[in-house]
PDB file of all heavy atoms in Angstrom:
ATOM      1  N   ILE A  10      88.679 100.675 -28.805  1.00 75.00           N
ATOM      2  CA  ILE A  10      88.860 101.247 -27.456  1.00 75.00           C
ATOM      3  C   ILE A  10      90.091 100.590 -26.803  1.00 75.00           C
ATOM      4  O   ILE A  10      90.187  99.349 -26.782  1.00 75.00           O
ATOM      5  CB  ILE A  10      87.639 100.946 -26.581  1.00 75.00           C
ATOM      6  CG1 ILE A  10      86.355 101.528 -27.234  1.00 75.00           C
ATOM      7  CG2 ILE A  10      87.781 101.504 -25.156  1.00 75.00           C
ATOM      8  CD1 ILE A  10      86.328 102.993 -27.370  1.00 75.00           C
ATOM      9  N   GLY A  11      91.001 101.375 -26.268  1.00 81.00           N
ATOM     10  CA  GLY A  11      92.185 100.857 -25.655  1.00 81.00           C
ATOM     11  C   GLY A  11      91.922 100.593 -24.214  1.00 81.00           C
ATOM     12  O   GLY A  11      90.818 100.662 -23.727  1.00 81.00           O
ATOM     13  N   PRO A  12      93.017 100.246 -23.462  1.00 86.00           N
ATOM     14  CA  PRO A  12      92.874 100.078 -21.993  1.00 86.00           C
ATOM     15  C   PRO A  12      92.397 101.364 -21.370  1.00 86.00           C
ATOM     16  O   PRO A  12      92.520 102.441 -21.992  1.00 86.00           O
ATOM     17  CB  PRO A  12      94.253  99.660 -21.564  1.00 86.00           C
ATOM     18  CG  PRO A  12      95.198  99.923 -22.695  1.00 86.00           C
ATOM     19  CD  PRO A  12      94.355 100.041 -23.933  1.00 86.00           C
ATOM     20  N   ILE A  13      91.989 101.302 -20.120  1.00 88.00           N
ATOM     21  CA  ILE A  13      91.389 102.487 -19.496  1.00 88.00           C
ATOM     22  C   ILE A  13      92.419 103.581 -19.269  1.00 88.00           C
ATOM     23  O   ILE A  13      92.062 104.746 -19.123  1.00 88.00           O
ATOM     24  CB  ILE A  13      90.607 102.115 -18.222  1.00 88.00           C
ATOM     25  CG1 ILE A  13      89.758 103.270 -17.753  1.00 88.00           C
ATOM     26  CG2 ILE A  13      91.595 101.687 -17.130  1.00 88.00           C
ATOM     27  CD1 ILE A  13      88.697 102.860 -16.786  1.00 88.00           C
ATOM     28  N   GLY A  14      93.667 103.262 -19.236  1.00 88.00           N
ATOM     29  CA  GLY A  14      94.733 104.268 -18.992  1.00 88.00           C
ATOM     30  C   GLY A  14      95.259 104.100 -17.602  1.00 88.00           C
ATOM     31  O   GLY A  14      95.407 102.987 -17.131  1.00 88.00           O
ATOM     32  N   PRO A  15      95.613 105.214 -16.950  1.00 93.00           N
ATOM     33  CA  PRO A  15      96.202 105.133 -15.566  1.00 93.00           C
ATOM     34  C   PRO A  15      95.225 104.359 -14.657  1.00 93.00           C
ATOM     35  O   PRO A  15      94.004 104.373 -14.852  1.00 93.00           O
ATOM     36  CB  PRO A  15      96.325 106.608 -15.127  1.00 93.00           C
ATOM     37  CG  PRO A  15      96.204 107.405 -16.354  1.00 93.00           C
ATOM     38  CD  PRO A  15      95.498 106.622 -17.397  1.00 93.00           C
ATOM     39  N   VAL A  16      95.817 103.748 -13.618  1.00 94.00           N
ATOM     40  CA  VAL A  16      95.011 102.919 -12.686  1.00 94.00           C
ATOM     41  C   VAL A  16      93.836 103.804 -12.175  1.00 94.00           C
ATOM     42  O   VAL A  16      94.044 104.858 -11.592  1.00 94.00           O
ATOM     43  CB  VAL A  16      95.835 102.406 -11.508  1.00 94.00           C
ATOM     44  CG1 VAL A  16      94.953 101.609 -10.553  1.00 94.00           C
ATOM     45  CG2 VAL A  16      96.972 101.543 -12.027  1.00 94.00           C
ATOM     46  N   LEU A  17      92.646 103.298 -12.326  1.00 95.00           N
ATOM     47  CA  LEU A  17      91.425 103.989 -11.927  1.00 95.00           C
ATOM     48  C   LEU A  17      91.237 103.872 -10.386  1.00 95.00           C
ATOM     49  O   LEU A  17      91.551 102.844  -9.807  1.00 95.00           O
ATOM     50  CB  LEU A  17      90.192 103.316 -12.595  1.00 95.00           C
ATOM     51  CG  LEU A  17      88.846 103.917 -12.373  1.00 95.00           C
ATOM     52  CD1 LEU A  17      88.718 105.196 -13.224  1.00 95.00           C
ATOM     53  CD2 LEU A  17      87.743 102.916 -12.753  1.00 95.00           C
ATOM     54  N   ARG A  21      83.747 100.121  -6.085  1.00 97.00           N
ATOM     55  CA  ARG A  21      82.832  98.992  -6.146  1.00 97.00           C
ATOM     56  C   ARG A  21      82.028  98.857  -4.873  1.00 97.00           C
ATOM     57  O   ARG A  21      82.464  99.234  -3.802  1.00 97.00           O
ATOM     58  CB  ARG A  21      83.587  97.690  -6.466  1.00 97.00           C
ATOM     59  CG  ARG A  21      83.945  97.650  -7.958  1.00 97.00           C
ATOM     60  CD  ARG A  21      84.587  96.347  -8.384  1.00 97.00           C
ATOM     61  NE  ARG A  21      84.881  96.509  -9.829  1.00 97.00           N
ATOM     62  CZ  ARG A  21      85.870  97.260 -10.354  1.00 97.00           C
ATOM     63  NH1 ARG A  21      86.698  97.893  -9.523  1.00 97.00           N
ATOM     64  NH2 ARG A  21      86.013  97.329 -11.645  1.00 97.00           N
ATOM     65  N   TRP A  91      84.564 106.219 -20.315  1.00 93.00           N
ATOM     66  CA  TRP A  91      85.235 105.089 -20.990  1.00 93.00           C
ATOM     67  C   TRP A  91      84.216 103.978 -21.272  1.00 93.00           C
ATOM     68  O   TRP A  91      84.231 103.386 -22.391  1.00 93.00           O
ATOM     69  CB  TRP A  91      86.342 104.583 -20.086  1.00 93.00           C
ATOM     70  CG  TRP A  91      87.183 103.484 -20.666  1.00 93.00           C
ATOM     71  CD1 TRP A  91      88.136 103.596 -21.638  1.00 93.00           C
ATOM     72  CD2 TRP A  91      87.212 102.126 -20.278  1.00 93.00           C
ATOM     73  NE1 TRP A  91      88.720 102.417 -21.892  1.00 93.00           N
ATOM     74  CE2 TRP A  91      88.180 101.444 -21.054  1.00 93.00           C
ATOM     75  CE3 TRP A  91      86.520 101.392 -19.302  1.00 93.00           C
ATOM     76  CZ2 TRP A  91      88.454 100.139 -20.927  1.00 93.00           C
ATOM     77  CZ3 TRP A  91      86.775 100.028 -19.154  1.00 93.00           C
ATOM     78  CH2 TRP A  91      87.738  99.417 -20.032  1.00 93.00           C
ATOM     79  N   GLN A  95      81.679 101.950 -25.064  1.00 90.00           N
ATOM     80  CA  GLN A  95      81.708 100.477 -25.373  1.00 90.00           C
ATOM     81  C   GLN A  95      80.315  99.860 -25.158  1.00 90.00           C
ATOM     82  O   GLN A  95      80.136  98.968 -24.300  1.00 90.00           O
ATOM     83  CB  GLN A  95      82.742  99.837 -24.406  1.00 90.00           C
ATOM     84  CG  GLN A  95      84.110 100.452 -24.572  1.00 90.00           C
ATOM     85  CD  GLN A  95      85.088  99.833 -23.593  1.00 90.00           C
ATOM     86  OE1 GLN A  95      85.559  98.716 -23.719  1.00 90.00           O
ATOM     87  NE2 GLN A  95      85.420 100.616 -22.549  1.00 90.00           N
ATOM     88  N   ARG A  98      79.886  96.062 -24.918  1.00 90.00           N
ATOM     89  CA  ARG A  98      80.591  95.349 -23.886  1.00 90.00           C
ATOM     90  C   ARG A  98      79.882  95.479 -22.513  1.00 90.00           C
ATOM     91  O   ARG A  98      79.924  94.535 -21.701  1.00 90.00           O
ATOM     92  CB  ARG A  98      81.985  95.878 -23.785  1.00 90.00           C
ATOM     93  CG  ARG A  98      83.017  94.894 -23.317  1.00 90.00           C
ATOM     94  CD  ARG A  98      84.423  95.437 -23.458  1.00 90.00           C
ATOM     95  NE  ARG A  98      85.236  94.736 -22.512  1.00 90.00           N
ATOM     96  CZ  ARG A  98      86.207  95.270 -21.796  1.00 90.00           C
ATOM     97  NH1 ARG A  98      86.481  96.549 -21.914  1.00 90.00           N
ATOM     98  NH2 ARG A  98      86.898  94.532 -20.976  1.00 90.00           N
ATOM     99  N   PHE A  99      79.268  96.625 -22.280  1.00 92.00           N
ATOM    100  CA  PHE A  99      78.705  96.902 -20.967  1.00 92.00           C
ATOM    101  C   PHE A  99      77.168  97.061 -21.102  1.00 92.00           C
ATOM    102  O   PHE A  99      76.649  97.227 -22.188  1.00 92.00           O
ATOM    103  CB  PHE A  99      79.298  98.156 -20.331  1.00 92.00           C
ATOM    104  CG  PHE A  99      80.781  98.016 -20.006  1.00 92.00           C
ATOM    105  CD1 PHE A  99      81.749  98.370 -20.897  1.00 92.00           C
ATOM    106  CD2 PHE A  99      81.140  97.479 -18.793  1.00 92.00           C
ATOM    107  CE1 PHE A  99      83.097  98.239 -20.634  1.00 92.00           C
ATOM    108  CE2 PHE A  99      82.512  97.309 -18.474  1.00 92.00           C
ATOM    109  CZ  PHE A  99      83.474  97.677 -19.409  1.00 92.00           C
ATOM    110  N   PHE A 157      90.987  94.262  -8.977  1.00 97.00           N
ATOM    111  CA  PHE A 157      91.082  95.287 -10.004  1.00 97.00           C
ATOM    112  C   PHE A 157      92.325  96.164  -9.926  1.00 97.00           C
ATOM    113  O   PHE A 157      92.290  97.343 -10.174  1.00 97.00           O
ATOM    114  CB  PHE A 157      89.795  96.121 -10.022  1.00 97.00           C
ATOM    115  CG  PHE A 157      88.628  95.311 -10.345  1.00 97.00           C
ATOM    116  CD1 PHE A 157      87.847  94.672  -9.373  1.00 97.00           C
ATOM    117  CD2 PHE A 157      88.270  95.098 -11.701  1.00 97.00           C
ATOM    118  CE1 PHE A 157      86.770  93.844  -9.720  1.00 97.00           C
ATOM    119  CE2 PHE A 157      87.189  94.256 -12.011  1.00 97.00           C
ATOM    120  CZ  PHE A 157      86.456  93.653 -11.029  1.00 97.00           C
ATOM    121  N   LEU A 158      93.442  95.480  -9.586  1.00 98.00           N
ATOM    122  CA  LEU A 158      94.745  96.098  -9.745  1.00 98.00           C
ATOM    123  C   LEU A 158      95.640  95.096 -10.406  1.00 98.00           C
ATOM    124  O   LEU A 158      96.102  95.220 -11.564  1.00 98.00           O
ATOM    125  CB  LEU A 158      95.341  96.537  -8.427  1.00 98.00           C
ATOM    126  CG  LEU A 158      96.840  97.023  -8.563  1.00 98.00           C
ATOM    127  CD1 LEU A 158      96.923  98.332  -9.331  1.00 98.00           C
ATOM    128  CD2 LEU A 158      97.496  97.173  -7.181  1.00 98.00           C
ATOM    129  N   PHE A 160      96.683  91.912 -12.498  1.00 97.00           N
ATOM    130  CA  PHE A 160      96.159  91.332 -13.731  1.00 97.00           C
ATOM    131  C   PHE A 160      95.372  92.382 -14.565  1.00 97.00           C
ATOM    132  O   PHE A 160      95.398  92.366 -15.813  1.00 97.00           O
ATOM    133  CB  PHE A 160      95.286  90.121 -13.474  1.00 97.00           C
ATOM    134  CG  PHE A 160      95.832  89.202 -12.450  1.00 97.00           C
ATOM    135  CD1 PHE A 160      95.088  88.780 -11.314  1.00 97.00           C
ATOM    136  CD2 PHE A 160      97.147  88.734 -12.552  1.00 97.00           C
ATOM    137  CE1 PHE A 160      95.625  87.956 -10.338  1.00 97.00           C
ATOM    138  CE2 PHE A 160      97.683  87.869 -11.568  1.00 97.00           C
ATOM    139  CZ  PHE A 160      96.944  87.497 -10.455  1.00 97.00           C
ATOM    140  N   THR A 161      94.620  93.279 -13.895  1.00 96.00           N
ATOM    141  CA  THR A 161      93.740  94.228 -14.581  1.00 96.00           C
ATOM    142  C   THR A 161      94.631  95.246 -15.364  1.00 96.00           C
ATOM    143  O   THR A 161      94.218  95.687 -16.416  1.00 96.00           O
ATOM    144  CB  THR A 161      92.901  94.999 -13.550  1.00 96.00           C
ATOM    145  OG1 THR A 161      92.164  94.077 -12.727  1.00 96.00           O
ATOM    146  CG2 THR A 161      91.901  95.949 -14.239  1.00 96.00           C
ATOM    147  N   TYR A 162      95.755  95.544 -14.781  1.00 95.00           N
ATOM    148  CA  TYR A 162      96.633  96.571 -15.393  1.00 95.00           C
ATOM    149  C   TYR A 162      97.956  95.941 -15.840  1.00 95.00           C
ATOM    150  O   TYR A 162      99.044  96.475 -15.620  1.00 95.00           O
ATOM    151  CB  TYR A 162      96.888  97.736 -14.408  1.00 95.00           C
ATOM    152  CG  TYR A 162      95.620  98.491 -14.178  1.00 95.00           C
ATOM    153  CD1 TYR A 162      94.786  98.196 -13.121  1.00 95.00           C
ATOM    154  CD2 TYR A 162      95.193  99.510 -15.043  1.00 95.00           C
ATOM    155  CE1 TYR A 162      93.566  98.851 -12.938  1.00 95.00           C
ATOM    156  CE2 TYR A 162      94.023 100.232 -14.849  1.00 95.00           C
ATOM    157  CZ  TYR A 162      93.219  99.865 -13.771  1.00 95.00           C
ATOM    158  OH  TYR A 162      92.010 100.525 -13.600  1.00 95.00           O
ATOM    159  N   ALA A 163      97.850  94.782 -16.508  1.00 94.00           N
ATOM    160  CA  ALA A 163      99.048  94.097 -16.975  1.00 94.00           C
ATOM    161  C   ALA A 163      99.748  94.932 -18.073  1.00 94.00           C
ATOM    162  O   ALA A 163     100.920  94.663 -18.370  1.00 94.00           O
ATOM    163  CB  ALA A 163      98.665  92.706 -17.531  1.00 94.00           C
ATOM    164  N   ASP A 164      99.085  95.961 -18.605  1.00 92.00           N
ATOM    165  CA  ASP A 164      99.736  96.840 -19.542  1.00 92.00           C
ATOM    166  C   ASP A 164     100.694  97.851 -18.808  1.00 92.00           C
ATOM    167  O   ASP A 164     101.578  98.442 -19.421  1.00 92.00           O
ATOM    168  CB  ASP A 164      98.730  97.601 -20.413  1.00 92.00           C
ATOM    169  CG  ASP A 164      97.738  98.424 -19.593  1.00 92.00           C
ATOM    170  OD1 ASP A 164      97.376  97.952 -18.500  1.00 92.00           O
ATOM    171  OD2 ASP A 164      97.321  99.519 -20.022  1.00 92.00           O
ATOM    172  N   PRO A 190      89.711  90.525 -10.962  1.00 97.00           N
ATOM    173  CA  PRO A 190      89.565  89.457 -11.927  1.00 97.00           C
ATOM    174  C   PRO A 190      90.945  89.022 -12.406  1.00 97.00           C
ATOM    175  O   PRO A 190      91.950  89.476 -11.931  1.00 97.00           O
ATOM    176  CB  PRO A 190      88.819  90.167 -13.081  1.00 97.00           C
ATOM    177  CG  PRO A 190      89.338  91.533 -13.062  1.00 97.00           C
ATOM    178  CD  PRO A 190      89.665  91.871 -11.575  1.00 97.00           C
ATOM    179  N   ASN A 192      91.670  89.059 -15.691  1.00 95.00           N
ATOM    180  CA  ASN A 192      91.778  89.686 -17.009  1.00 95.00           C
ATOM    181  C   ASN A 192      92.142  91.167 -16.910  1.00 95.00           C
ATOM    182  O   ASN A 192      91.906  91.777 -15.893  1.00 95.00           O
ATOM    183  CB  ASN A 192      90.384  89.626 -17.760  1.00 95.00           C
ATOM    184  CG  ASN A 192      89.898  88.202 -17.869  1.00 95.00           C
ATOM    185  OD1 ASN A 192      90.652  87.264 -18.102  1.00 95.00           O
ATOM    186  ND2 ASN A 192      88.574  88.036 -17.734  1.00 95.00           N
ATOM    187  N   ASP A 193      92.639  91.713 -18.031  1.00 94.00           N
ATOM    188  CA  ASP A 193      92.990  93.138 -18.022  1.00 94.00           C
ATOM    189  C   ASP A 193      91.700  93.958 -18.401  1.00 94.00           C
ATOM    190  O   ASP A 193      90.618  93.363 -18.596  1.00 94.00           O
ATOM    191  CB  ASP A 193      94.147  93.437 -18.899  1.00 94.00           C
ATOM    192  CG  ASP A 193      93.873  93.235 -20.396  1.00 94.00           C
ATOM    193  OD1 ASP A 193      92.724  93.098 -20.811  1.00 94.00           O
ATOM    194  OD2 ASP A 193      94.862  93.236 -21.185  1.00 94.00           O
ATOM    195  N   THR A 194      91.832  95.262 -18.506  1.00 90.00           N
ATOM    196  CA  THR A 194      90.654  96.089 -18.754  1.00 90.00           C
ATOM    197  C   THR A 194      90.056  95.899 -20.125  1.00 90.00           C
ATOM    198  O   THR A 194      88.950  96.317 -20.372  1.00 90.00           O
ATOM    199  CB  THR A 194      90.964  97.628 -18.565  1.00 90.00           C
ATOM    200  OG1 THR A 194      91.992  97.994 -19.474  1.00 90.00           O
ATOM    201  CG2 THR A 194      91.360  97.951 -17.134  1.00 90.00           C
ATOM    202  N   ARG A 195      90.794  95.221 -21.000  1.00 89.00           N
ATOM    203  CA  ARG A 195      90.230  94.906 -22.299  1.00 89.00           C
ATOM    204  C   ARG A 195      89.670  93.491 -22.345  1.00 89.00           C
ATOM    205  O   ARG A 195      89.235  92.991 -23.383  1.00 89.00           O
ATOM    206  CB  ARG A 195      91.242  95.100 -23.435  1.00 89.00           C
ATOM    207  CG  ARG A 195      91.395  96.556 -23.756  1.00 89.00           C
ATOM    208  CD  ARG A 195      92.235  96.767 -25.000  1.00 89.00           C
ATOM    209  NE  ARG A 195      93.624  96.678 -24.685  1.00 89.00           N
ATOM    210  CZ  ARG A 195      94.607  96.831 -25.555  1.00 89.00           C
ATOM    211  NH1 ARG A 195      94.319  97.059 -26.829  1.00 89.00           N
ATOM    212  NH2 ARG A 195      95.867  96.728 -25.211  1.00 89.00           N
ATOM    213  N   GLY A 196      89.774  92.782 -21.208  1.00 91.00           N
ATOM    214  CA  GLY A 196      89.169  91.427 -21.138  1.00 91.00           C
ATOM    215  C   GLY A 196      90.115  90.343 -21.512  1.00 91.00           C
ATOM    216  O   GLY A 196      89.713  89.171 -21.672  1.00 91.00           O
ATOM    217  N   ARG A 197      91.419  90.675 -21.654  1.00 93.00           N
ATOM    218  CA  ARG A 197      92.360  89.629 -22.035  1.00 93.00           C
ATOM    219  C   ARG A 197      92.948  88.946 -20.788  1.00 93.00           C
ATOM    220  O   ARG A 197      93.272  89.616 -19.811  1.00 93.00           O
ATOM    221  CB  ARG A 197      93.512  90.234 -22.889  1.00 93.00           C
ATOM    222  CG  ARG A 197      93.002  90.816 -24.210  1.00 93.00           C
ATOM    223  CD  ARG A 197      94.096  91.522 -24.918  1.00 93.00           C
ATOM    224  NE  ARG A 197      94.812  92.459 -24.010  1.00 93.00           N
ATOM    225  CZ  ARG A 197      95.758  93.313 -24.398  1.00 93.00           C
ATOM    226  NH1 ARG A 197      96.145  93.343 -25.665  1.00 93.00           N
ATOM    227  NH2 ARG A 197      96.335  94.114 -23.529  1.00 93.00           N
ATOM    228  N   LEU A 226      81.176  92.243 -16.130  1.00 88.00           N
ATOM    229  CA  LEU A 226      81.652  91.646 -17.404  1.00 88.00           C
ATOM    230  C   LEU A 226      81.656  90.120 -17.291  1.00 88.00           C
ATOM    231  O   LEU A 226      82.350  89.526 -16.450  1.00 88.00           O
ATOM    232  CB  LEU A 226      83.092  92.087 -17.684  1.00 88.00           C
ATOM    233  CG  LEU A 226      83.236  93.515 -18.214  1.00 88.00           C
ATOM    234  CD1 LEU A 226      84.685  93.941 -18.166  1.00 88.00           C
ATOM    235  CD2 LEU A 226      82.692  93.646 -19.620  1.00 88.00           C
ATOM    236  N   ASP A 229      84.873  88.060 -16.892  1.00 94.00           N
ATOM    237  CA  ASP A 229      85.588  88.089 -15.554  1.00 94.00           C
ATOM    238  C   ASP A 229      84.992  86.955 -14.702  1.00 94.00           C
ATOM    239  O   ASP A 229      84.332  87.219 -13.679  1.00 94.00           O
ATOM    240  CB  ASP A 229      85.455  89.421 -14.913  1.00 94.00           C
ATOM    241  CG  ASP A 229      86.334  90.488 -15.545  1.00 94.00           C
ATOM    242  OD1 ASP A 229      87.209  90.110 -16.380  1.00 94.00           O
ATOM    243  OD2 ASP A 229      86.147  91.666 -15.214  1.00 94.00           O
TER     244      ASP A 229
END
Side-chain angles (χ1 to χ4, degrees):
I10 303 296
I13 194 163
V16 178
L17 183 76
R21 284 185 179 75
W91 183 73
Q95 303 176 74
R98 209 171 156 219
F99 294 93
F157 297 91
L158 173 68
F160 318 126
T161 306
Y162 294 91
D164 57 324
N192 301 323
D193 68 14
T194 59
R195 282 189 281 181
R197 296 174 312 185
L226 284 168
D229 285 348

